[in-house]
Amino acid sequence: MWRDRVYPIFVDGFDEFFAAAHNGIISGRLGIESNLNQPKIKKNVGFMMEDSHKLVKDKIIKNELDRLKSMD
């Protein structure tokens, strides 16, 4: 957000929508396992695990978070 005239837009259901879209198009998991050794990805996975936005309520997201947790 360091550029002029760039603003975040918060959309309810954004994560759930894209989880469903990815699941419908790819019919599979995120496929980030091979990249977990990269610091930026590892940090983002840590944020997902915290689930501060309670995304675990969504079945698709819950399944993926459970799978990532089992990898630890």
Side-chain angles (χ1 to χ4, degrees), residues 32-43:
I32 62 172
E33 296 85 0
S34 62
N35 297 316
L36 284 175
N37 59 344
Q38 296 179 17
K40 195 171 193 176
I41 291 176
K42 194 170 191 167
K43 181 179 177 180

Side-chain angles (χ1 to χ4, degrees), residues 5-61:
R5 295 176 297 212
V6 175
Y7 306 96
I9 298 174
F10 299 98
V11 178
D12 288 337
F14 177 88
D15 295 300
E16 294 85 347
F17 170 75
F18 278 98
H22 179 270
N23 191 52
I25 294 168
I26 304 298
S27 297
R29 299 177 172 147
L30 293 175
I32 62 172
E33 296 85 0
S34 62
N35 297 316
L36 284 175
N37 59 344
Q38 296 179 17
K40 195 171 193 176
I41 291 176
K42 194 170 191 167
K43 181 179 177 180
N44 285 328
V45 168
F47 288 138
M48 287 189 287
M49 297 297 200
E50 290 173 9
D51 195 24
S52 60
H53 299 290
K54 305 299 181 211
L55 296 174
V56 74
K57 294 176 185 175
D58 182 84
K59 183 180 178 180
I60 295 169
I61 294 173

